[in-house]
Amino acid sequence: MSDYCENDEKSALGSKKISSLMLTLAVPSVIAYVINVLYNIVDRIYIGHIQDENGAAFALTGLGICLPIIQLVSAFSAFAGTGGAPLAAIELGKSEFNPEAKKEAQRILGNSSFMLIVFSVVLTAFFLIFKEPILLFFGASKNTLPYADSYISIYLLGTIFVQFSIGLNTFITCQGHARTAMVSILIGACLNIILDPVFIFMLNMGTKGAALATIISQGVSAVWVTGFLSSAKSAIRLNLSFIKPDFSIIKKISSLGMSPFIMQATESAIFVVFNSGLQRYGGDIYVGSMTIMQSVMQIIFVPTAGFSNGIQPIISYNYGAKKYGRVREVIRKMLFVNAVLTLTLVLCASVFPEIFSRLFTSDTEILAIEKRLLPVYIGGMWFMWIQNAAQTTFVGIGNAKVSIFIACLRKVVLLIPLALILPHIFGVEGIFFAEPIATTCSALTSAVLLALEYKDRTQEQE
């Protein structure tokens, strides 16, 4: 299995059999996504088993309080990276009949890099200056604030590494270099898994050690990514001459990047609403339980997200090359694979919630909550695979308006209001009911929009 070369007479993205192409690109991407999510999940697993006089529950809850900031930092990397990479892939598709399109792809890479640098400086400064009031607003208590503060203070120093390792890696994937993109994440995640127990337990650094292990690992990954994009192996080169603002290109990147940004930024808002409500109606123990539930949901979502991200370049390239039959075939097969992956994992987590929960804690009170409410919380994931496929399709073809609508519907229009309203009716459990209701409604809406898009592509002349 080899990565694809821009010098091929006809790119494999536009000519190779769809099934084998999807397998070639998706498997490394799924592995990369699974490994990438280990960054924070491994932190939670280790921190959840810290032994000190206050117990591990406060430490785990403190890390949960930091999740909105971590998610927001990642959201800005998605804004520039996921917004720019599909545009670059479309231009590479056009280069089959327009050689000048490759230069446009390089300008897109340069402007995305410029945006990532600006985001890094602004985010680091803002959160370091206002971290304590922000953490208190996010639901920290006097018991959990010290843990949250110690973790995020160090984590923020590596913001530039997060931006580059996540944001620029999408430009490796969009060229069809799926294995290289996987390796860039594998290097950082494996290093994080090794360093976490060293810093947390052997050096007795606790939450500070978890954060330090994370930023060192992401720094190594960022160096790998930038090194590849600067080399002759990359079809689009990272060149200093292109890392300067071109606002017409930034506008295009922002338009398409707004959807994945909203998807992740609203996730941050959801963490805040959830943590604040759980603190008010249930206390620290419920905030800690939500940290575990969101981790389990990540485990369920990651395989389909990795699969969809891996095959998105096929959609973008063939859409740019006007090969709509291949676009339709990818959509059909993406729906099938997404359904199998998601439904299998949801079934396992629903039937055996305690097995998943024990990965993160041995606290009996938290485990009791997980056993009762985890199957409810992930109930909407039975349909989430449909929304994931729709989101991938609309981002892949550059349809920013519809992808933004889908992103906003579940979280802004449905989930946040439900999380604020339902606790007044059902108490603390109402917050857990909000997720499945919102996810089911948005997934069914996405199914209608995807069906209409598929019908439009069927009517296109190739």
Side-chain angles (χ1 to χ4, degrees):
M1 190 184 340
S2 60
D3 290 337
Y4 305 114
C5 178
E6 53 140 348
N7 295 322
D8 289 344
E9 185 177 342
K10 196 173 185 182
S11 173
L13 290 171
S15 61
K16 190 175 180 180
K17 185 179 178 182
I18 291 294
S19 297
S20 58
L21 186 60
M22 290 175 72
L23 183 64
T24 302
L25 293 178
V27 171
S29 181
V30 171
I31 295 172
Y33 262 65
V34 170
I35 294 168
N36 189 47
V37 81
L38 289 176
Y39 268 120
N40 289 321
I41 285 186
V42 167
D43 284 350
R44 295 169 213 169
I45 291 173
Y46 282 125
I47 289 174
H49 292 89
I50 289 176
Q51 298 297 321
D52 63 17
E53 65 274 13
N54 295 315
F58 288 155
L60 181 64
T61 302
L63 182 54
I65 298 298
C66 296
L67 291 180
I69 298 177
I70 295 171
Q71 193 71 37
L72 196 58
V73 170
S74 296
F76 277 95
S77 69
F79 184 84
T82 310
L87 294 175
I90 291 173
E91 293 301 322
L92 287 176
K94 292 178 181 178
S95 67
E96 283 197 6
F97 48 81
N98 178 15
E100 290 298 313
K102 181 189 169 185
K103 291 184 179 179
E104 182 67 12
Q106 293 195 170
R107 283 191 284 268
I108 292 170
L109 171 59
N111 276 266
S112 291
S113 302
F114 173 80
M115 294 168 69
L116 290 170
I117 293 171
V118 173
F119 291 156
S120 299
V121 173
V122 173
L123 290 170
T124 302
F126 177 80
F127 283 119
L128 283 177
I129 293 172
F130 300 106
K131 62 180 177 178
E132 185 168 332
I134 289 173
L135 290 172
L136 290 171
F137 177 73
F138 285 177
S141 67
K142 65 178 182 179
N143 294 320
T144 59
L145 180 60
Y147 294 101
D149 184 271
S150 65
Y151 184 87
I152 205 63
S153 296
I154 294 177
Y155 181 89
L156 287 171
L157 298 178
T159 300
I160 184 67
F161 301 144
V162 178
Q163 296 293 306
F164 270 59
S165 62
I166 297 176
L168 291 185
N169 203 38
T170 55
F171 285 91
I172 299 177
T173 303
C174 83
Q175 301 175 51
H177 293 291
R179 288 193 303 168
T180 302
M182 177 191 72
V183 170
S184 67
I185 297 174
L186 180 64
I187 290 171
C190 288
L191 185 58
N192 189 47
I193 293 172
I194 295 170
L195 292 179
D196 256 339
V198 173
F199 289 140
I200 294 173
F201 300 114
M202 293 178 63
L203 299 180
N204 199 31
M205 294 179 67
T207 51
K208 290 182 180 180
L212 184 58
T214 298
I215 66 171
I216 290 174
S217 303
Q218 288 172 331
V220 173
S221 181
V223 170
W224 171 273
V225 171
T226 54
F228 177 84
L229 288 173
S230 303
S231 72
K233 296 179 181 179
S234 179
I236 46 178
R237 302 281 290 278
L238 183 61
N239 193 308
L240 288 175
S241 63
F242 289 115
I243 304 180
K244 56 184 178 181
D246 182 327
F247 292 103
S248 63
I249 294 177
I250 289 176
K251 183 178 179 181
K252 293 177 183 178
I253 294 171
S254 300
S255 178
L256 190 56
M258 187 60 67
S259 173
F261 173 78
I262 290 174
M263 285 288 287
Q264 294 196 37
T266 51
E267 195 73 30
S268 178
I270 289 167
F271 287 154
V272 174
V273 172
F274 279 6
N275 288 344
S276 299
L278 291 167
Q279 188 65 251
R280 177 181 178 185
Y281 292 98
D284 288 333
I285 201 72
Y286 277 92
V287 178
S289 68
M290 178 60 76
T291 302
I292 294 176
M293 290 187 195
Q294 289 165 338
S295 300
V296 174
M297 182 173 281
Q298 276 187 294
I299 293 172
I300 295 171
F301 181 72
V302 157
T304 55
F307 175 79
S308 300
N309 182 73
I311 66 173
Q312 188 181 91
I314 310 175
I315 297 175
S316 298
Y317 188 98
N318 287 283
Y319 184 80
K322 300 183 179 180
K323 298 178 180 180
Y324 301 121
R326 290 173 65 82
V327 173
R328 294 193 299 270
E329 185 178 353
V330 175
I331 293 173
R332 290 195 304 270
K333 292 179 176 178
M334 174 174 57
L335 282 166
F336 174 76
V337 174
N338 277 359
V340 172
L341 288 173
T342 302
L343 298 181
T344 300
L345 288 170
V346 172
L347 179 62
C348 291
S350 298
V351 176
F352 307 107
E354 194 169 353
I355 293 177
F356 283 79
S357 303
R358 282 191 178 277
L359 291 172
F360 301 91
T361 187
S362 56
D363 186 285
T364 55
E365 192 173 357
I366 292 180
L367 287 174
I369 296 173
E370 297 295 327
K371 184 176 181 180
R372 179 165 49 94
L373 292 176
L374 178 58
V376 174
Y377 184 74
I378 64 174
M381 294 296 287
W382 291 104
F383 307 100
M384 187 62 181
W385 56 273
I386 305 174
Q387 178 167 330
N388 178 264
Q391 195 75 25
T392 299
T393 299
F394 289 115
V395 171
I397 66 175
N399 192 333
K401 291 182 179 179
V402 176
S403 59
I404 290 173
F405 170 75
I406 294 174
C408 290
L409 177 63
R410 172 176 168 259
K411 298 177 180 180
V412 178
V413 177
L414 296 171
L415 184 53
I416 291 178
L418 286 171
L420 293 171
I421 295 170
L422 292 182
H424 293 284
I425 303 173
F426 301 103
V428 68
E429 293 188 357
I431 298 175
F432 298 92
F433 298 154
E435 179 69 46
I437 295 172
T439 301
T440 301
C441 292
S442 64
L444 295 178
T445 303
S446 298
V448 174
L449 294 172
L450 183 59
L452 293 173
E453 175 60 33
Y454 185 89
K455 182 179 179 181
D456 288 344
R457 294 282 76 82
T458 301
Q459 296 171 350
E460 291 278 3
Q461 297 295 319
E462 297 191 35

